[in-house]
Amino acid sequence: MRTVAHISDLHFGREDRKIAEGLLLDLKAHTPSLIVVSGDLTQRAKHDEFIAAKNYFDRFSHPSLIVPGNHDIPLYNVVNRFIRPLDRYKRYITDNLNPTFVDEEIAVVGINTARSLTLKNGAISFDQLRHIEAKFHTFSSNLFKVLVVHHQFVPPPDNSAPALIRRAADVVRRIELCGVNLVLAGHTHKSYTADLKQHYQTGHSILVAHAGTAISKRGRGEPNGYNLISLDKSHVHISMRTWDGHSFVEAQSTSYHKIQSHWHKEHDRARLGYSPDSGNYSPV
Ligand SMILES: [Fe+2]
Ligand SMILES: [Fe+2]
C-alpha cells in the first residue's frame, strides 16, 4: 500500500498563506510516499512567484514529483512565452519536464501538457507519447502505474471546462497499452474522479483524479483541497481533504476495487453538510 498526496494549482502570487501553512501540516501528518504537484505553481510565472513556490516545496518532508501548468508560462511577455516558455520553471523548480518516481510498488511518470500557443488547452506531443511509453515499459507490470498531467482528459461533472488534451483519444489508447492505472491532473480547479473507459473506447479501466486548488484564492466555488490517495494493485481510495477554516479535513472519499482489468466503485461518501458547488466556473 502506498499513499500519494496529490496537490494542484497552488498559484503562488494568489496563495492564502494560512492555508499554505495548514497544507504543510496536513501533508506531514499523513506521511505520503510521494507528493504529486500537477501544475499551475504560479499565477503569472513571475520570478518572485517561482521563488515562493520553490521555498514552499523545499519545506516538504517527503519526495515530490512536479509538472508545470499553463500558468507557469508567461502570459503577457510574448518573447518569453514563445521563445523561453518554461525557463523560469526550469530555473527555479526543476529542469526535468518529464519527472519519474519509482519504488517497489508504484511507478509515476509526469509530463508537461502546457503549451505557449494554446494557453488554456493542453497537449501531449508524439515525442512525449514515445517517452511515456518507453518509461512505462521499463517498469515491471507488477507496479501500480500513474501518469501525472496538468490538463484534463475528462471535463468536470458540470462540463465547465470541456476542452480536453489534444488528440485525447489517441493518448488514452496508448497509455492503456502502457498499463497505466491512474491519471492525476488539475487545471479545472474542480475535484472529481472518473474512469476513462466511460469516456473513451478502452478495454481497461483507467481512473482519473482531479484535485482542486490547494492553496490559492481561485477556488471556483470549491473550498481549497487536495487528494490523499491510498493505493495498491487492487484498491484505490481517494480522500478529498478540504480546508475548513482551521485545518484540512476529509470532505469526501471514493473507493475502488479492481476485478480483472476494471475498477469498480465501492462507495462515495461525503461528509455531512459538504456539497461542492459545481457552478460559477470561470476559465482557468
Ligand atoms: Fe490553475
Ligand atoms: Fe491550468
Side-chain angles (χ1 to χ4, degrees):
M1 178 71 75
R2 288 288 182 265
T3 301
V4 175
H6 169 211
I7 68 177
S8 198
D9 295 78
L10 294 90
H11 288 286
F12 277 94
R14 291 288 307 279
E15 81 278 21
D16 181 313
R17 292 188 182 174
K18 184 179 175 189
I19 299 175
E21 292 303 312
L23 178 61
L24 286 176
L25 288 175
D26 210 57
L27 292 172
K28 192 168 187 178
H30 287 93
T31 61
S33 311
L34 177 68
I35 300 171
V36 164
V37 183
S38 57
D40 278 0
L41 283 46
T42 67
Q43 179 61 18
R44 286 286 168 243
K46 294 178 179 173
H47 287 283
D48 58 342
E49 294 172 352
F50 275 119
I51 290 168
K54 183 206 177 326
N55 290 340
Y56 190 73
F57 299 151
D58 283 348
R59 297 172 65 196
F60 284 170
S61 307
H62 303 89
S64 61
L65 181 146
I66 303 168
V67 298
N70 51 303
H71 275 260
D72 301 319
I73 293 175
L75 178 62
Y76 299 117
N77 185 326
V78 176
V79 173
N80 282 344
R81 182 169 138 196
F82 287 100
I83 308 295
R84 302 180 284 269
L86 285 168
D87 266 25
R88 290 176 189 169
Y89 178 90
K90 289 192 261 189
R91 174 177 169 187
Y92 292 110
I93 306 299
T94 172
D95 60 2
N96 184 0
L97 297 180
N98 307 308
T100 300
F101 174 89
V102 61
D103 67 11
E104 299 79 20
E105 292 191 37
I106 57 173
V108 187
V109 173
I111 206 81
N112 166 37
T113 57
R115 295 293 185 269
S116 303
L117 198 57
T118 54
L119 278 172
K120 288 178 189 167
N121 301 334
I124 295 176
S125 69
F126 292 108
D127 276 351
Q128 287 177 306
L129 260 179
R130 284 190 283 274
H131 169 83
I132 291 169
E133 289 169 333
K135 275 287 176 189
F136 278 123
H137 283 135
T138 63
F139 301 131
S140 161
S141 59
N142 288 325
L143 297 179
F144 189 105
K145 295 179 180 175
V146 182
L147 177 68
V148 180
V149 294
H150 178 61
H151 293 85
Q152 66 271 27
F153 286 103
V154 175
D158 62 358
N159 205 31
S160 52
L164 305 177
I165 287 174
R166 202 181 308 152
R167 301 188 334 277
D170 181 44
V171 175
V172 168
R173 183 179 59 79
R174 290 173 68 170
I175 65 173
E176 180 188 9
L177 294 173
C178 297
V180 170
N181 301 105
L182 174 66
V183 176
L184 301 179
H187 185 60
T188 61
H189 294 205
K190 301 280 184 182
S191 52
Y192 57 100
T193 62
D195 189 334
L196 291 181
K197 78 175 182 187
Q198 288 164 350
H199 298 264
Y200 298 91
Q201 291 189 327
T202 64
H204 304 78
S205 285
I206 303 173
L207 296 179
V208 177
H210 274 258
T213 175
I215 62 169
S216 90
K217 299 168 184 169
R218 296 165 54 90
R220 311 292 181 221
E222 272 195 21
N224 292 97
Y226 78 101
N227 294 326
L228 190 67
I229 304 171
S230 308
L231 51 86
D232 62 25
K233 287 291 286 180
S234 54
H235 293 89
V236 172
H237 179 81
I238 301 170
S239 169
M240 193 180 105
R241 298 183 64 77
T242 59
W243 179 251
D244 72 353
H246 305 282
S247 62
F248 281 87
V249 296
E250 182 174 281
Q252 195 167 5
S253 69
T254 307
S255 287
Y256 298 86
H257 73 283
K258 198 171 196 180
I259 299 175
Q260 294 177 333
S261 56
H262 295 279
W263 291 105
H264 296 263
K265 193 180 279 192
E266 283 178 333
H267 73 256
D268 224 341
R269 287 193 191 119
R271 187 168 163 239
L272 198 61
Y274 177 75
S275 174
D277 176 8
S278 59
N280 303 321
Y281 178 83
S282 58
V284 289

